[in-house]
Amino acid sequence: MTDGTKVKARYPIIYVRGYAMTGSEKDETAADPFCGFNVGSTVYRAVSDRNKPAQRFVFESPVVRLMKDFGYSNIYDNGLDLPDPGFQGLLSPQSIIIYRYYDDTAPLMGGQQDASIERFAKGLSDLILQVRDHVCGNATNCMSPDGFRCYLVAHSMGGLICRAFLQNPALGDPVARAAVDKFFTYATPHNGIDMAGVNVPKWLSLFDMSNFNRDYLAGLFGYDANLCSKGRSDYLRAGKDLDIRRCFCMIGSNRSDYEVAQGLSRTFSGHGSDGLVRIENAALCSIDSTGNEVPVATAYAYRSHSGYFGIVNSEEAYQNLTRFLFGDVRIDISVDVGSVTLPPAIKDRKVDALYQFEVLASPRGKPWFLTRRTSEEDSVACRSHDELTDPATSARRRVYLSSVFLADISRVNPQDPSLSYSLTLGVRVPDYKVDQILWFDQHYEGAYLFRDTLIVEILPPAGGDGWKVRYRWQSEAAAPTLNGYHPIPFSGDSAKLTVAFASASAPGISGTLVFDISAWNA
């Protein structure tokens, strides 16, 4: 495990924007120097004094914040961009590069090129090699071409372009592919786009909408029909594609604020979406050797696909991005369900029920969540009663909730050096069906089988000691104090922390909250 004293490397960030449908949208993209990644947001938050106005909360944009917080800079030089003839800039590793792939398709720029993901993927490969040459050609960086790395950060269709480059050998240079250190997506439709419950068809070539057909995407990523079920494009093949631990999916759950097409998009994408992409289609996973799904690191925010309250221009997504890129500790959070109990009157009946698992994780002293999954926002993890009780489906008793990355130790307050956050776990009382008929007795709509908040503090190494942790359920004591720290038993660079939980009565649930902790950027 890292001791937190070594200065970690910083690599260039290449932003890849999302889909532009019409010619005017492509023009707008081409005219914007940062393709939308410079857009911030302002929201209001309530204050305790009702006689005072609500407080503004301003997010300045990911580009500005990366400059202020981490010393990054853009690369424009005397009006020229990196691919332009005459560009002379020798780049710092802490550079922000915008992949301007729509420029030669935009009417504003006289664009005549086709807007194919395949062509964009090849262009991304070329851009990475150009960035490498400019970074490694700068003698002050002391970086060899073999040691060059970069981060890919993509919104929406931009993530599909990145995956086509990273997964399809015909669409990129292997040297460029090997240079990608981490891959972060905002609201990418990894498994395509559905409208009114139907996947966008292959024949719908208008405005290149067929780019979001699942069968097309599966072929684009080089999947063989024998290796995956028909129409699946949302997983990575273990050992053949990307290292799944170096990928992150940021998912939005607010459809209400997505105004595209005068609200028709959010209407047809329906509940359980960000207004365009369905929540389940924005996640990635892998398939292990036993056939079980292994999720990629994921976090959820109550943000729409884009717009004033979009996911890219949000504090929540920015915090997940920078902690994923630069943080020190990774924690994958899941629940191992031990048992579920039914209301006494139906405990021996055949029951159909769906259990909804909620989670909210927030760092100490911050007015936002690193991840937010709630029933009302359709972003919960779900398991059926049969999955949690049938021995044949025991693997389904492990429920992945989310991943959090804790902040760069060098930026922690030295007066209080622990990395601390709260995690609220909730399991809703399901709607019970007995003999296919809803059963309404002995439980309450919207109630919880279990709900409590766990306070966790992780203490980085100091004075030769290893990592330590302390925690408690908020309901266990009125005082906000925690028990003393105790060592985390690391094996190599990883450890596991388990915390039991149980309902007080039936109907109920019991199990273990599991934190898989590992060194990050060691």
Side-chain angles (χ1 to χ4, degrees), residues 241-285:
D241 294 331
L242 310 179
D243 178 356
I244 66 169
R245 284 187 58 80
R246 314 297 286 180
C247 304
F248 192 105
C249 298
M250 191 75 215
I251 299 177
S253 60
N254 175 16
R255 61 190 282 270
S256 303
D257 287 322
Y258 192 60
E259 301 292 345
V260 168
Q262 296 182 322
L264 287 175
S265 175
R266 67 181 179 226
T267 298
F268 286 105
S269 61
H271 292 284
S273 76
D274 62 8
L276 179 64
V277 179
R278 295 196 60 77
I279 290 170
E280 65 267 24
N281 287 342
L284 264 174
C285 63

Side-chain angles (χ1 to χ4, degrees), residues 211-416:
N211 284 341
F212 307 109
N213 173 265
R214 274 190 277 278
D215 290 334
Y216 164 71
L217 291 175
L220 181 71
F221 303 146
Y223 291 163
D224 188 313
N226 296 323
L227 295 177
C228 65
S229 58
K230 181 175 174 58
R232 288 293 299 275
S233 58
D234 59 338
Y235 79 86
L236 306 173
R237 295 164 298 191
K240 289 195 173 183
D241 294 331
L242 310 179
D243 178 356
I244 66 169
R245 284 187 58 80
R246 314 297 286 180
C247 304
F248 192 105
C249 298
M250 191 75 215
I251 299 177
S253 60
N254 175 16
R255 61 190 282 270
S256 303
D257 287 322
Y258 192 60
E259 301 292 345
V260 168
Q262 296 182 322
L264 287 175
S265 175
R266 67 181 179 226
T267 298
F268 286 105
S269 61
H271 292 284
S273 76
D274 62 8
L276 179 64
V277 179
R278 295 196 60 77
I279 290 170
E280 65 267 24
N281 287 342
L284 264 174
C285 63
S286 182
I287 308 294
D288 66 17
S289 58
T290 63
N292 292 320
E293 291 188 352
V294 180
V296 164
T298 306
Y300 300 77
Y302 188 61
R303 287 284 180 153
S304 62
H305 189 78
S306 61
Y308 295 132
F309 306 108
I311 194 166
V312 173
N313 50 317
S314 71
E315 183 75 30
E316 296 92 334
Y318 171 77
Q319 290 294 333
N320 276 284
L321 169 65
T322 55
R323 289 158 188 260
F324 173 66
L325 296 184
F326 313 130
D328 292 292
V329 179
R330 171 180 180 147
I331 304 177
D332 298 302
I333 307 164
S334 56
V335 166
D336 281 339
V337 177
S339 65
V340 290
T341 55
L342 297 170
I346 59 172
K347 67 177 182 178
D348 297 320
R349 307 277 295 276
K350 174 64 176 175
V351 171
D352 182 18
L354 187 69
Y355 296 85
Q356 301 178 64
F357 295 81
E358 299 181 337
V359 63
L360 299 98
S362 178
R364 175 176 50 207
K366 303 299 183 184
W368 35 259
F369 293 107
L370 279 174
T371 194
R372 167 171 160 160
R373 306 185 71 176
T374 69
S375 178
E376 289 78 8
E377 295 161 14
D378 301 308
S379 55
V380 289
C382 295
R383 291 292 187 272
S384 70
H385 186 73
D386 286 345
E387 287 176 314
L388 297 182
T389 56
D390 187 344
T393 57
S394 58
R396 297 289 288 168
R397 295 183 186 178
R398 167 64 68 94
V399 184
Y400 170 75
L401 298 177
S402 200
S403 296
V404 297
F405 294 79
L406 298 185
D408 186 338
I409 290 172
S410 66
R411 303 175 70 233
V412 170
N413 180 359
Q415 304 302 317
D416 191 0

Side-chain angles (χ1 to χ4, degrees), residues 68-139:
K68 290 177 63 175
D69 295 348
F70 295 96
Y72 272 77
S73 61
N74 69 67
I75 65 167
Y76 297 124
D77 181 49
N78 291 319
L80 297 177
D81 194 5
L82 186 151
D84 295 329
F87 180 83
Q88 299 296 319
L90 293 177
L91 303 183
S92 159
Q94 290 170 238
S95 293
I96 297 172
I97 299 97
I98 306 298
Y99 179 30
R100 305 183 56 82
Y101 63 87
Y102 266 131
D103 283 9
D104 60 9
T105 71
L108 180 70
M109 303 292 189
Q112 301 293 324
Q113 296 283 351
D114 69 290
S116 72
I117 290 181
E118 291 91 336
R119 189 171 68 83
F120 295 154
K122 292 177 182 178
L124 176 60
S125 178
D126 295 339
L127 177 63
I128 289 172
L129 295 179
Q130 291 174 330
V131 173
R132 178 201 62 178
D133 292 344
H134 281 267
V135 170
C136 297
N138 186 346

Side-chain angles (χ1 to χ4, degrees), residues 335-347 351 353-357 383-385 388-389 425-430 432 439 441-444 447-451 501-512:
V335 166
D336 281 339
V337 177
S339 65
V340 290
T341 55
L342 297 170
I346 59 172
K347 67 177 182 178
V351 171
L354 187 69
Y355 296 85
Q356 301 178 64
F357 295 81
R383 291 292 187 272
S384 70
H385 186 73
L388 297 182
T389 56
L425 172 67
V427 185
R428 291 284 187 126
V429 173
Y432 298 105
W439 184 82
D441 297 339
Q442 298 182 11
H443 65 286
Y444 298 94
Y448 287 88
L449 297 175
F450 177 86
R451 194 173 194 272
F501 67 92
S503 305
S505 60
I509 187 168
S510 66
T512 305

